[in-house]
Each structure stands twice: as C-alpha cells, then as structure tokens.
Amino acid sequence: MGVDLESISEATSGAIGSLLSTTILYPLDTCKTKYQAEARAHGQQKYRNLSDVLWEAISTHQLPSLYQGLGTKNLQSFISQFIYFYGYSYFKRTYLQWCGSKSIGTKANLVIAAAAGACTAIITQPLDTASSRMQTSDFGKSKGLWKTLTEGTWNDAFDGLGISLLLTSNPAIQYTVFDQLKQRLLKAKQTEGDKGSSPEALSAFSAFMVGALAKSIATILTYPAIRCKVMIQAADSNDDDTKKARPKSNKTLPGVIYAIWGKEGLVGFYKGLHAQILKTVLSSALLLMIKEKITATTWVLILAIRRYLLLTRGRVKSS
C-alpha cells in the first residue's frame, strides 16, 4: 500500500496549526489548568477567579512560570494532532472508497473521528499527563519531562487514560460539526458565485468562526469529564495540608467525582467552564484557521518533494 499523501498533508497542516495555537495561548492554558485543578471548600479556595492565578504569578515574580511545560505541551500537541488528522483523513477516505460514496454521513463521521481520537489518546497519554503535572506544579517548581514521567510508576504516566478515551467524543463532535458547517458554507458560496467553480477552503474569518462554534458545542457537552481529567492528572502540591486532603484514592475517577460533589456540589463539575471555552475555542479556532490556510501550501510542498524524490531515484537507476 502506497503512502497516503493527502492524509499526510492534512496531518502536517493540522499539527503545525496546533503547534502555533498552543504556543500563542499557553499562559492562558496554564492559568486555566491550575484553576480547574483546585477542589476545596468555598472558604478555603486559593483561586476564586481565573485572574487570581495570573496575579499569583505576577506578585511572586514568576511570570515565566506561566510557560512551564510548554515544550512538553508542544510536543504532545504536535504529535497528537498529526496522528489525529492523519487517522481522521485516512479513515474517512478509506470509508468513502469502501462504500463508494462521495459524502459521509454524520454518524459515520462521529465514529471515524472517535476512532482517530482513541488512537491518539493511547499513544500520547504519557505526554498529556506530564504536561498537566508540569502546568499544575507550584510556580517555579516544575520538573523536566523525564523526571516528571519517571517519578511515579509506569501506570501513573497513563493517569486519566479512561477519561481521555471518553473524551474522544469531544474532537469527534467538534470536527463533525466543523465539517458539516464547512460543507454548507462552501455549498452556499458556490451557489451564490460561479456554479462551475468549487471553493477549496474557507476564508480565515469563516474558518475561525466555524471552528469557535464547533468547539463551544463540544466543550459544553463534555466539560464535566474534562474537569475530572485535569484533577486526576494534576501534580500534588508541596503543601502538607493539601497532600493530606488529597489522598491517592482521589486520583481515581470515583474519588475525583466524590471530591467535587462533596466540596463544591453539582456546580463544581462546571467550575472553570468559561475559562475552558475561552482557551479551547480560541485554540481550536486558530488551529483550524491556520490549517485551512496552509493546507494547500503543504500539499504543493509534499507533491514537489515527492516529484524530486522520484526524479532522483530515476537518475540513480539510469546511472
């Protein structure tokens, strides 16, 4: 079986888009993650608002710590998005060839997106866990990637894998909504313009807005699981009282659910929702906007490289 160049093009452009959006929004991501990871009674809350995390970094002269774990996060983001977009594109093209159809239905799209997400979660879970621990460590006390991964057991590196597999529904919903809205917009644009031409991509503004809407819908539907995952993967505080308040049993899904329910009530499952929407919507919208704009360029470069390799191979054989 030959290499699927179109899938590689989709994966490469998606990974580059993810890398750029992650770097741009990383301080917001750190504040959001530390805010979500805290589960204390209302009278003992360290962070009452998302801005409290930023103020702590400023007041303790630890602004650079807002970038702690950026390298790990970028590595995890690049690899996960490459695997996801390649798997999604490859599974989608294989499905269309198998059923002989030119379009894919919503249900099939959800299954394909979930399958691509599951493959991504299993492969990149240790990096995901490490980046969460580095972000939620006390400012100025984050450890390196290798030390973070090896300070516990191998099973600890896969903390939250079950929820990660459950959360494959998040990108599945997101990209399904994005694809469906994108097709409708392009169809409407084609109808209004020249019927003989077919626009290949959305404008940057349209891609941004559609990406934001798609991610908002996915985030709202899956947020309780997102909050639980952050708490499971969070680093243990150096504070002794906090360590005693968070035993090892609280690192399990039932333990986290019990802790949230007992200390914050039902509303606790949606603590930080506004911060999650702000960060993930901006990140996903930027990712999809960048991906839409560089996909064509990536495709041309891949074809050029392929042509160069074929010509070089031909010259070697002829000589």
Side-chain angles (χ1 to χ4, degrees), residues 137-149:
S137 296
D138 293 339
F139 283 133
K141 298 182 180 179
S142 176
K143 303 171 184 175
L145 173 58
W146 180 249
K147 191 170 183 179
T148 301
L149 286 175

Side-chain angles (χ1 to χ4, degrees), residues 118-141:
C119 294
T120 302
I122 293 171
I123 295 173
T124 63
Q125 187 63 33
L127 289 174
D128 186 32
T129 300
S131 64
S132 292
R133 289 178 184 170
M134 294 165 81
Q135 281 185 308
T136 53
S137 296
D138 293 339
F139 283 133
K141 298 182 180 179

Side-chain angles (χ1 to χ4, degrees), residues 11-79:
T12 303
S13 57
I16 293 173
S18 176
L19 186 66
L20 292 175
S21 64
T22 297
T23 302
I24 293 169
L25 299 172
Y26 194 75
L28 175 61
D29 187 32
T30 298
C31 292
K32 182 263 311 176
T33 303
K34 287 180 75 69
Y35 179 64
Q36 288 175 322
E38 185 187 38
R40 299 183 181 182
H42 292 291
Q44 299 177 335
Q45 279 187 332
K46 183 179 181 181
Y47 305 125
R48 295 181 181 276
N49 300 290
L50 183 66
S51 59
D52 290 344
V53 185
L54 177 61
W55 177 246
E56 181 189 10
I58 295 173
S59 62
T60 58
H61 307 289
Q62 292 289 342
L63 272 177
S65 293
L66 291 175
Y67 289 91
Q68 59 190 27
L70 175 60
T72 300
K73 191 72 172 182
N74 274 336
L75 178 62
Q76 184 263 335
S77 180
F78 186 89
I79 294 175

Side-chain angles (χ1 to χ4, degrees), residues 143-198:
K143 303 171 184 175
L145 173 58
W146 180 249
K147 191 170 183 179
T148 301
L149 286 175
T150 57
E151 64 181 355
T153 65
W154 179 244
N155 288 335
D156 291 338
F158 285 88
D159 278 346
L161 177 58
I163 298 183
S164 293
L165 292 175
L166 175 64
L167 285 173
T168 56
S169 59
N170 185 292
I173 295 170
Q174 175 194 352
Y175 292 116
T176 297
V177 172
F178 181 83
D179 275 349
Q180 296 301 316
L181 292 177
K182 174 184 174 181
Q183 290 175 18
R184 292 187 181 185
L185 284 176
L186 292 180
K187 195 172 183 181
K189 187 176 179 181
Q190 183 181 5
T191 302
E192 293 175 1
D194 184 6
K195 293 185 178 180
S197 63
S198 177

